[in-house]
Amino acid sequence: MRCLSIAVAFLALFTGLYRFFDARLEQFYIFDHHHLHDLSQRAIAAHGNDTRAIVQYIVSELDEKVGSTHLNKDEEWVFNNAGGAMGAMYIIHASITEYLIIFGTAIGTEGHTGRHTADDYFNILQGTQLAYVPGSYEPEVYPAGSVHHLRRGEVKQYKMDSSCFALEYARGWIPPMLFFGYADTFSSTLDFPTLWATSRITGREMISNLLKGKM
């Protein structure tokens, strides 16, 4: 009976803290999704199909606007398997309430978006992404320069027919999203070196930002 009382008290405390911070998430954000979309479009206009130069343009402006304190400017690319899709990512920022990455593949992929605890803004830098929701007979089409907003709690099928890269920005509760990112390692790929690399970089950036006062 005592254990049950403790569990109920803990659940009540956790629920109260969650609701308190969830209602105040906006105050923890350092990125603006409108700026990121505009930045992506300007980078494409400046560098066309040179995706490497587009990425460098984006990181350079973010360094000026946000500052290097909260950015990872080392291009530490790692594979990413999630929802049956495979690509690679470069983590620019990771914290409790936000992440900003370059995600993509040069050969195409397809999979499940996942159902997440954060809003996800997928700014297409090169190529085209397709998305599908049940009941629709036509795909959603997102070419370079557009943004695919996957709202918190929603889910879709997505596809990149060929080479496609994007600036992906998520805002909300980031840690629960990691389970989706790890699941394919244990259920199919068994690629533990990649899992370690992902955990090391993500953990390092999250802890570093937390110690700097960035949730």
Side-chain angles (χ1 to χ4, degrees):
M1 191 66 181
R2 183 181 177 186
C3 291
L4 180 60
S5 298
I6 293 173
V8 170
F10 178 79
L11 181 61
L13 177 63
F14 177 81
T15 302
L17 287 172
Y18 171 80
R19 288 178 176 173
F20 177 82
F21 285 112
D22 194 58
R24 293 161 176 79
L25 277 175
E26 287 286 340
Q27 71 186 56
F28 300 115
Y29 300 146
I30 60 174
F31 299 100
D32 177 74
H33 63 91
H34 298 295
H35 168 250
L36 293 174
H37 185 205
D38 175 66
L39 173 56
S40 298
Q41 291 180 320
R42 286 188 284 108
I44 293 168
H47 296 288
N49 292 320
D50 188 344
T51 311
R52 185 180 299 277
I54 289 172
V55 172
Q56 292 172 347
Y57 182 103
I58 289 170
V59 174
S60 178
E61 180 167 318
L62 289 175
D63 189 26
E64 294 177 6
K65 183 176 177 62
V66 178
S68 58
T69 302
H70 300 295
L71 301 180
N72 173 27
K73 294 187 289 183
D74 296 327
E75 285 199 39
E76 302 171 285
W77 286 92
V78 291
F79 274 126
N80 178 258
N81 289 82
M86 182 174 186
M89 65 178 177
Y90 155 36
I91 300 173
I92 301 172
H93 172 88
S95 61
I96 302 299
T97 58
E98 294 174 290
Y99 78 65
L100 186 67
I101 67 173
I102 301 295
F103 173 81
T105 171
I107 59 175
T109 192
E110 179 180 3
H112 190 293
T113 61
R115 195 183 299 275
H116 300 300
T117 51
D119 280 276
D120 189 272
Y121 298 87
F122 210 73
N123 295 275
I124 309 299
L125 304 177
Q126 183 253 314
T128 300
Q129 185 195 52
L130 303 176
Y132 170 75
V133 294
S136 175
Y137 289 96
E138 298 294 334
E140 298 174 11
V141 182
Y142 299 96
S146 66
V147 58
H148 178 191
H149 178 197
L150 182 71
R151 291 172 176 79
R152 182 160 77 164
E154 291 185 352
V155 64
K156 297 180 183 180
Q157 176 188 10
Y158 77 96
K159 181 179 183 180
M160 301 166 170
D161 273 328
S162 56
S163 180
C164 184
F165 287 86
L167 176 68
E168 182 179 359
Y169 171 55
R171 51 162 49 192
W173 295 111
I174 305 304
M177 298 177 72
L178 299 177
F179 296 107
F180 176 73
Y182 288 164
D184 278 20
T185 298
F186 297 99
S187 63
S188 61
T189 69
L190 302 181
D191 183 5
F192 295 108
T194 291
L195 178 68
W196 165 245
T198 302
S199 301
R200 176 178 57 81
I201 298 169
T202 304
R204 182 194 69 205
E205 295 302 310
M206 281 189 167
I207 293 171
S208 174
N209 280 303
L210 198 56
L211 290 175
K212 294 168 186 171
K214 168 65 178 78
M215 265 193 66

